[in-house]
Amino acid sequence: MWQGKAADGSFPVVVASPGLNSSRWFFTAWAEELASNGVIVIALDHPYDSPVTELADGTWVHGKLETTGDDAGDQALADHWAGIRAADMRAVIDQLHSGLAGLPALRSADLSQIITAGHSLGGAAALEAARLDDRVEGAVDIDGMPRTPKDATPLTKPVMAIVAGDADPLPEYDAALDALLAKRNGTRVILDGVTHFGMIDLGLIVGPVPGITGTRGPTGPTSAAQATLQLIHAID
């Protein structure tokens, strides 16, 4: 099993974003698998998106994002929200580079090897953060629709697209992934028997429920983490 610790004692860093209206806590099993393999994981809760978030001044704010039921309008909202999340991820990277994070666990962080990752809308945000930020070496999109703005410069950094194998066909998603990987800068990994929600801790909470987590839902987070490690190993 690959260990991420570099020769100088530093560790690669993954900045991670959860799905829409979700919390970093549903990323726990995935993050623990990475951490056990020598990776520092920083998982975000996005203010006004995650169910509850504590701001820097101690204020608690609740999620306020709502879809409208109009597909075109909701797609535009999702594009906008992915951009906001990408900005949040880049703000975390700003803090890491400024030395202001101040956490002992980050003293051995290798800031030359930062990966962005996320589930669902968080995956779209991870792709955008990597596309926009030269400090990011690559991105992992865990079953998220890519949302690169039209006519924007494409992402050419290493990419891992982790796809739920137990899902109904979605031609728009497949086409978006084809476009994302057209530069031959990444790969698509399909997790058989795992649904969209089986990629996170839901499968560990409710068990293997077909149609919700998939027949292999409880293994989804670990499998997604192992695929994430493949990308980190390739970049190292």
Side-chain angles (χ1 to χ4, degrees), residues 84-129:
I84 293 174
R85 283 163 163 258
D88 287 347
M89 299 175 87
R90 297 180 68 193
V92 169
I93 296 171
D94 288 343
Q95 291 292 306
L96 291 174
H97 277 270
S98 71
L100 297 178
L103 297 175
L106 299 178
R107 291 173 184 165
S108 58
D110 181 357
L111 300 186
S112 71
Q113 194 179 7
I114 296 176
I115 308 295
T116 51
H119 173 251
S120 197
L121 189 63
L127 296 173
E128 273 301 279

Side-chain angles (χ1 to χ4, degrees), residues 127-128 130-131 148-149 151-157 179-180 183 185:
L127 296 173
E128 273 301 279
R131 186 181 70 83
T148 301
D151 300 325
T153 302
L155 175 61
T156 57
K157 298 173 183 176
L180 173 69
K183 298 290 184 180
N185 57 319

Side-chain angles (χ1 to χ4, degrees):
M1 187 175 292
W2 176 74
Q3 298 293 322
K5 189 174 182 179
D8 64 357
S10 61
F11 297 87
V13 178
V14 173
V15 180
S17 174
L20 179 66
N21 294 146
S22 188
S23 166
R24 69 187 189 277
W25 297 111
F26 279 98
F27 247 171
T28 298
W30 173 85
E32 287 180 342
E33 180 69 16
L34 293 183
S36 70
N37 281 272
V39 178
I40 295 173
V41 182
I42 303 173
L44 283 65
D45 275 341
H46 297 278
Y48 306 103
D49 180 332
S50 296
V52 180
T53 311
E54 184 180 4
L55 302 182
D57 64 359
T59 303
W60 292 88
V61 295
H62 297 271
K64 295 184 177 180
L65 303 187
E66 296 182 358
T67 56
T68 66
D70 173 71
D71 185 64
D74 287 341
Q75 292 298 328
L77 284 173
D79 293 346
H80 178 63
W81 295 337
I84 293 174
R85 283 163 163 258
D88 287 347
M89 299 175 87
R90 297 180 68 193
V92 169
I93 296 171
D94 288 343
Q95 291 292 306
L96 291 174
H97 277 270
S98 71
L100 297 178
L103 297 175
L106 299 178
R107 291 173 184 165
S108 58
D110 181 357
L111 300 186
S112 71
Q113 194 179 7
I114 296 176
I115 308 295
T116 51
H119 173 251
S120 197
L121 189 63
L127 296 173
E128 273 301 279
R131 186 181 70 83
L132 295 168
D133 201 314
D134 291 338
R135 300 169 297 181
V136 178
E137 295 297 305
V140 177
D141 175 14
I142 304 175
D143 214 36
M145 173 72 77
R147 295 189 177 278
T148 301
K150 185 179 180 181
D151 300 325
T153 302
L155 175 61
T156 57
K157 298 173 183 176
V159 172
M160 175 73 72
I162 304 173
V163 180
D166 192 353
D168 293 332
L170 186 60
E172 297 89 346
Y173 179 40
D174 291 336
L177 287 184
D178 289 342
L180 173 69
L181 302 174
K183 298 290 184 180
R184 298 184 181 278
N185 57 319
T187 189
R188 183 180 341 208
V189 174
I190 299 174
L191 301 186
D192 293 331
V194 179
T195 69
H196 181 73
F197 291 110
M199 303 281 194
I200 57 176
D201 287 8
L202 185 62
L204 297 170
I205 296 170
V206 303
V209 181
I212 298 178
T213 68
T215 56
R216 297 182 61 246
T219 69
T222 301
S223 297
Q226 290 295 331
T228 302
L229 287 169
Q230 291 180 33
L231 180 76
I232 299 172
H233 192 188
I235 291 174
D236 183 43

